Amino acid sequence: MTCPYQNVFVTGGNTLIPNFDVRLRNSLRPILAVESPLNIVRPVDIHNDAWRGMAKWSRGPDFSTSLVTKADYYEYGGEWLRVHGLGNCA
């Protein structure tokens, strides 16, 4: 079985904080098996990569079915987003 954390992709300006990779590795290592590989991978253009990824996703078929209106949020609440897989927590 492969480890789900074998390749961790980081992007965005916040990942340029000094020693970010070291701190991330130190946080993940205790929850991994002893011999598990752990690679931290960065894009070539770390500042704009997230924007390009979002732009690409917004042109895809899943975009229109993933939208949540303000009315939906007010009617169903924040818990609804998690239950339906639209939030950060699944």
Side-chain angles (χ1 to χ4, degrees):
M1 181 174 124
T2 60
C3 173
Y5 302 108
Q6 184 171 344
N7 292 301
V8 177
F9 183 78
V10 297
T11 189
N14 290 339
T15 64
L16 296 174
I17 294 171
N19 298 315
F20 179 86
D21 291 6
V22 172
R23 292 165 59 190
L24 180 60
R25 185 177 309 280
N26 289 342
S27 294
L28 292 175
R29 185 53 64 194
I31 63 173
L32 298 174
V34 175
E35 298 297 322
S36 294
L38 175 60
N39 302 309
I40 298 175
V41 182
R42 294 174 174 273
V44 174
D45 184 2
I46 202 161
H47 293 289
N48 297 313
D49 187 68
W51 288 101
R52 275 198 296 282
M54 185 62 173
K56 182 178 178 181
W57 177 74
S58 71
R59 293 187 301 268
D62 296 330
F63 179 71
S64 61
T65 60
S66 300
L67 298 177
V68 176
T69 67
K70 188 175 184 179
D72 285 340
Y73 180 80
Y74 284 141
E75 181 175 349
Y76 302 116
E79 283 298 310
W80 179 75
L81 296 176
R82 279 196 281 159
V83 170
H84 294 293
L86 299 174
N88 290 334
C89 302

